[in-house]
Amino acid sequence: MLSRLPFETQKRIIIVSFIALPLLLLLTFSYYPALELIRLSFTNWDGMSQEKDWIGFANYREVFTNPEIFGVFKHNIAYFVVGIVQNIAAIYFAIVLNGKLKGRYFFRLLLFLPYILNGVAVAYLFGYVFDTTDGSLNFLLGKLGLGGETSWLGSESFVNYTLASIGFWRFMGFNMVIYLAALQSIPADLYEAASIDGANNWQKFRFITVPNIYKIIELNLFLTVTGALEVFDLPFVLTNGGPAGASETFVMKIIETAFQFNDYGLASAMSVVLLIAVVVVLSIQRYFLNRGRD
Amino acid sequence: MTKANPIWIGMKYISLLIAVFVVLYPPYIIVANAFKTPDEYLTKSTMSLPDSFVHFSNFADAFSQADMGRAFGNTIIIVCVTLLLNVLIGASFCYAVTRFKFKLQGPLVGLFLFATIIPQITTQVINFKTIQGLGLTNHLMGPTLLYVGADILQIYIYMQFIRNIPYDLDEAAMMEGASLFKIFYVVILPLLGPATATIIILKTISIYNDMFTPFLYLTKPELVVVSTSLMRFFGSNSGNWQMVSAAILIIMIPTAVMFVFLQRYIFAGVTQGAVK
């Protein structure tokens, strides 16, 4: 029946019918909320009442001046620091597993495994590992004679590093697999030519490997930074922000402000700040990437 | 990489062994304790192995107490509906925007690509109100709609894939009198198999592992999903580690098994998904 219609008409029907729904979804769940966030961030809406008053930049002033809000960003630093170490480890293991090596498929499989496990299950698993009295980490440290009574999740000074190390365990293999794919796409003759010219392994790494996976390093760093800014589930499940708010993250604050304190205006302003932070990071990355290409 | 330097080889294996230990040591404690009887749990040290690995009563208790039958059921419903809609909507959209030229095509595609820079976690505050307005909070279709609407991974993957399918195939089918609809579901859709496999795997893993969305949108006890069932179970059993260990293992096993069998697709998918 349809095939009797001229192609031009068919084409029009297809374009309209195949595009309408995804476009509607995109506008509803990506663009509308982004714009609505900006609008609400200038109001004092409580999430329910009909009225909302325009209060100018008061919410933003609150975000930047209240140390209870902006100060939690410093908890996210731990995730960033550990994320950098994680990337270095990932590059190292990617290079090791890219070479000729017995059992490299097994190692790749095993190192990647944590990434696909359920996040809540991983969080509680580490709740047990880090448990002060029964935990396996303190048990191991005790056997090694390194003390064994550290309260890993109860210390305000390093609880964020403890939590970030779980992120390391979970995501190192993921980063590694991405690096590995990039390494495999480097032509082998480049290395052969360099060997003929007498380059040593370090020179090959520095002048062939790094330039060829540069883009992927940037991609992984971007994922690390945005991941660090958006941490939510680990501290939420394991410590609920404790002890004494030491492991609260910015996203936890947003959720709490919106859904517990019903301060949608302030929560929107906080979301906008986070959104801008991510966009800035992305723009910087794109800028350097494009500059590198010219 | 050229000459086999024994020190370098030794270092490689030592670092790999350390890595293997770091990956396997944490799960060891739950495997060791999930099989212990209450008596063993009290008398033996935490790190010792249980007397038998066929003591499954902790698993049975955890499974029923955490209402996991229902949790897996709900998760499967959400995953299946999401995947079905994602594949159909994503593939048809990409067919339309890659095969035809029309006004505003460039800006339209740009609109989709640009959306990826908006972190989904920031828009939750508004999306919650939208879902509430549609009456879909505490309804399995609420999270489903979000998974379908807010993620555009499938559009990336399909778009790249369709561009690589030669247009000659479409033309040949046109010669034989096929309608454009028919070309889509007889010629294009079947050829998208590998891309669809990638999307199915990545989406299944991300939905199965998501805690944020169900925690926010599905608060009624009967709408429990895998992640929230474990959270609730932990809430009422904290400190009771042999039960919690069993529950953790039950939740972890499905994706781990899936991984071992589908590793090739998973590695391919993860790389594609990240480098989008």
Side-chain angles (χ1 to χ4, degrees):
Chain A
M1 168 205 79
L2 275 163
S3 56
R4 296 216 194 103
L5 294 168
F7 275 123
E8 207 42 46
T9 319
Q10 286 184 32
K11 190 183 123 179
R12 225 167 274 154
I13 297 173
I14 287 209
I15 289 174
V16 172
S17 61
F18 282 9
I19 286 175
L21 190 56
L23 185 63
L24 181 71
L25 288 171
L26 180 78
L27 295 176
T28 314
F29 292 109
S30 292
Y31 286 101
Y32 161 74
L35 296 175
E36 183 73 355
L37 269 183
I38 297 173
R39 190 173 74 91
L40 287 179
S41 69
F42 293 105
T43 70
N44 62 358
W45 194 40
D46 64 3
M48 279 164 285
S49 63
Q50 295 294 318
E51 55 200 84
K52 33 184 163 288
D53 301 322
W54 185 266
I55 54 168
F57 282 92
N59 286 326
Y60 288 96
R61 216 169 295 133
E62 173 82 7
V63 171
F64 287 107
T65 54
N66 186 345
E68 293 254 312
I69 299 175
F70 202 67
V72 298
F73 261 128
K74 69 173 184 282
H75 301 158
N76 295 56
I77 294 173
Y79 296 91
F80 177 70
V81 172
V82 173
I84 298 291
V85 180
Q86 174 187 323
N87 269 281
I88 295 170
I91 294 176
Y92 170 76
F93 284 112
I95 290 174
V96 167
L97 294 185
N98 192 38
K100 286 199 189 74
L101 189 86
K102 264 200 196 104
R104 63 184 172 134
Y105 293 106
F106 166 78
F107 287 122
R108 184 180 69 161
L109 190 73
L110 196 77
L111 294 188
F112 185 78
L113 181 69
Y115 174 71
I116 51 126
L117 299 175
N118 181 286
V120 178
V122 168
Y124 289 133
L125 156 65
F126 275 89
Y128 202 175
V129 169
F130 289 128
D131 192 275
T132 312
T133 46
D134 293 331
S136 56
L137 182 62
N138 277 344
F139 173 84
L140 183 71
L141 292 176
K143 285 275 175 228
L144 294 172
L146 295 169
E149 275 130 43
T150 316
S151 173
W152 296 102
L153 292 166
S155 156
E156 286 181 42
S157 53
F158 55 78
V159 61
N160 289 308
Y161 285 91
T162 308
L163 290 169
S165 69
I166 306 174
F168 183 105
W169 186 83
R170 224 179 138 197
F171 294 115
M172 197 282 284
F174 168 77
N175 295 127
M176 182 194 78
V177 164
I178 298 175
Y179 285 124
L180 200 53
L183 288 176
Q184 281 162 354
S185 68
I186 304 176
D189 29 335
L190 279 180
Y191 289 105
E192 282 164 28
S195 299
I196 293 168
D197 289 341
N200 63 28
N201 280 341
W202 167 251
Q203 285 168 325
K204 282 186 225 164
F205 172 74
R206 171 74 188 77
F207 295 107
I208 299 175
T209 309
V210 171
N212 273 290
I213 62 167
Y214 193 63
K215 208 179 140 186
I216 302 299
I217 296 178
E218 282 186 333
L219 168 83
N220 270 313
L221 285 182
F222 170 71
L223 291 176
T224 303
V225 176
T226 51
L229 287 172
E230 295 169 17
V231 179
F232 172 76
D233 52 355
L234 277 177
F236 181 75
V237 170
L238 261 188
T239 61
N240 202 11
S247 64
E248 269 201 314
T249 66
F250 199 69
V251 172
M252 281 172 78
K253 272 276 184 217
I254 294 178
I255 300 301
E256 186 185 83
T257 308
F259 300 116
Q260 275 175 32
F261 304 139
N262 290 322
D263 195 343
Y264 271 68
L266 184 58
S268 298
M270 293 163 75
S271 299
V272 172
V273 169
L274 183 61
L275 185 79
I276 291 173
V278 171
V279 171
V280 166
V281 172
L282 187 71
S283 313
I284 294 174
Q285 188 215 8
R286 289 259 159 98
Y287 171 77
F288 281 111
L289 196 71
N290 290 333
R291 204 188 52 171
R293 268 188 201 145
D294 290 337
Chain B
M1 285 160 222
T2 40
K3 278 158 276 166
N5 179 341
I7 300 174
W8 168 233
I9 292 177
M11 217 183 90
K12 276 201 290 202
Y13 277 100
I14 291 170
S15 61
L16 281 169
L17 287 180
I18 293 172
V20 168
F21 176 77
V22 169
V23 169
L24 291 182
Y25 187 66
Y28 170 82
I29 192 170
I30 54 166
V31 175
N33 287 291
F35 292 91
K36 282 180 185 160
T37 62
D39 273 354
E40 273 182 275
Y41 181 73
L42 290 174
T43 51
K44 282 185 156 184
S45 103
T46 314
M47 296 306 289
S48 63
L49 287 171
D51 290 337
S52 106
F53 276 106
V54 284
H55 173 75
F56 286 114
S57 76
N58 292 339
F59 292 92
D61 291 350
F63 194 87
S64 64
Q65 272 184 43
D67 207 2
M68 283 192 198
R70 195 185 295 225
F72 277 105
N74 285 337
T75 302
I76 289 170
I77 292 172
I78 294 178
V79 167
C80 288
V81 177
T82 305
L83 288 176
L84 187 71
L85 292 175
N86 259 327
V87 167
L88 284 179
I89 296 175
S92 58
F93 173 82
C94 292
Y95 172 68
V97 296
T98 51
R99 280 313 199 224
F100 310 115
K101 290 222 164 14
F102 54 93
K103 240 193 262 172
L104 295 176
Q105 186 181 22
L108 182 74
V109 174
L111 203 64
F112 274 85
L113 302 192
F114 187 73
T116 44
I117 71 161
I118 303 172
Q120 280 176 37
I121 210 151
T122 59
T123 49
Q124 282 306 328
V125 174
I126 308 298
N127 282 344
F128 187 81
K129 283 285 153 193
T130 307
I131 297 287
Q132 207 174 36
L134 294 170
L136 290 177
T137 41
N138 273 320
H139 191 295
L140 287 182
M141 289 308 114
T144 306
L145 187 59
L146 274 180
Y147 293 135
V148 172
D151 188 9
I152 40 189
L153 174 82
Q154 67 279 2
I155 291 188
Y156 269 102
I157 294 180
Y158 276 138
M159 210 134 73
Q160 282 169 4
F161 210 87
I162 294 186
R163 285 206 180 108
N164 291 329
I165 298 177
Y167 192 64
D168 301 356
L169 289 178
D170 298 48
E171 280 172 344
M174 277 183 221
M175 296 291 191
E176 287 174 23
S179 72
L180 292 177
F181 275 103
K182 201 166 179 192
I183 293 176
F184 170 64
Y185 63 83
V186 176
V187 179
I188 304 289
L189 207 52
L191 285 174
L192 293 177
T196 305
T198 301
I199 290 164
I200 287 178
I201 289 166
L202 290 184
K203 283 264 177 178
T204 305
I205 293 175
S206 78
I207 296 173
Y208 184 88
N209 290 349
D210 182 28
M211 175 271 289
F212 189 79
T213 314
F215 174 77
L216 218 53
Y217 293 89
L218 303 174
T219 47
K220 275 194 192 160
E222 65 267 30
L223 294 175
V224 63
V225 299
V226 170
S227 294
T228 45
S229 77
L230 186 57
M231 285 174 79
R232 285 177 202 162
F233 183 71
F234 187 83
S236 50
N237 284 278
S238 65
N240 196 352
W241 282 111
Q242 95 269 28
M243 294 295 281
V244 172
S245 295
I248 292 174
L249 270 184
I250 299 175
I251 303 282
M252 277 184 171
I253 284 169
T255 43
V257 170
M258 185 175 151
F259 175 51
V260 172
F261 284 105
L262 300 173
Q263 42 170 306
R264 202 160 54 89
Y265 295 100
I266 293 179
F267 284 129
V270 162
T271 334
Q272 273 178 41
V275 189
K276 66 190 180 190

